[in-house]
Amino acid sequence: MRFLSNLLASTLGTLLALFLVFFLFFLFIFALAAATDTAPRVLNNSVLVVTLDGEIPEIAADDPFLRAFGTGPSLDLRDLTTGLEKAAVDDRISAVWVQLQGLRGSWATLQEVRTALERFKQSGKPVYASSDDYGMDEAAYFVASVADSVFAVP
């Protein structure tokens, strides 16, 4: 009889420990997810920095694991155009700085980005573009052509 009581106590203790480990794991994941969604604070006369690096997807994946580990794109075309529209009417933002770093995409996507930058520029705020590359390719020049000033390596 003592064997069965020891077996039951060991099984119950193991299950309780596993439940506690899984509970703490999910609590950690929840805290991590809650900490990453903090809204940035925008000061007066701020410059909105838009880094266009690589492909601009039409729709970004909503997979939380891809975003948590940084393997998926952080914004898509709709997020970019909506953000520029909001920045155009926000009095705290005084300009946009577009950093072009290996920009790729279809010409339709690049035209949408350029049109969104033109609409921002119509609000009377300047648009600046820069590139870290030793030369801009045709796609980067196309997007940067709407800017008031373009800064690139000679």
Side-chain angles (χ1 to χ4, degrees):
M1 210 46 161
R2 183 151 171 88
F3 170 75
L4 290 178
S5 65
N6 285 342
L7 179 68
L8 181 64
S10 297
T11 305
L12 185 61
T14 303
L15 290 176
L16 186 62
L18 284 174
F19 174 77
L20 185 63
V21 166
F22 281 121
F23 177 75
L24 290 175
F25 174 73
F26 284 118
L27 187 65
F28 174 74
I29 295 296
F30 179 76
L32 183 67
T36 59
D37 290 335
T38 59
R41 199 172 127 200
V42 180
L43 301 174
N44 287 334
N45 294 323
S46 294
V47 175
L48 176 65
V49 178
V50 179
T51 303
L52 299 178
D53 184 11
E55 187 80 26
I56 302 172
E58 294 284 330
I59 299 173
D62 288 335
D63 189 0
F65 290 109
L66 290 178
R67 290 192 180 196
F69 296 115
T71 57
S74 59
L75 68 128
D76 56 13
L77 182 62
R78 184 175 38 115
D79 292 335
L80 180 61
T81 56
T82 304
L84 287 171
E85 288 173 4
K86 289 180 181 179
V89 296
D90 193 345
D91 293 334
R92 299 172 295 176
I93 296 179
S94 61
V96 166
W97 177 17
V98 181
Q99 296 177 341
L100 302 164
Q101 300 171 357
L103 177 63
R104 295 184 317 268
S106 68
W107 285 105
T109 302
L110 298 174
Q111 178 64 42
E112 286 290 325
V113 172
R114 190 175 188 285
T115 303
L117 289 169
E118 284 176 339
R119 283 192 298 250
F120 177 85
K121 192 174 175 180
Q122 289 173 356
S123 69
K125 300 175 184 178
V127 175
Y128 302 107
S130 69
S131 175
D132 290 341
D133 298 334
Y134 283 106
M136 289 188 207
D137 59 353
E138 193 174 9
Y141 272 128
F142 178 69
V143 173
S145 66
V146 74
D148 295 310
S149 297
V150 178
F151 302 96
V153 177

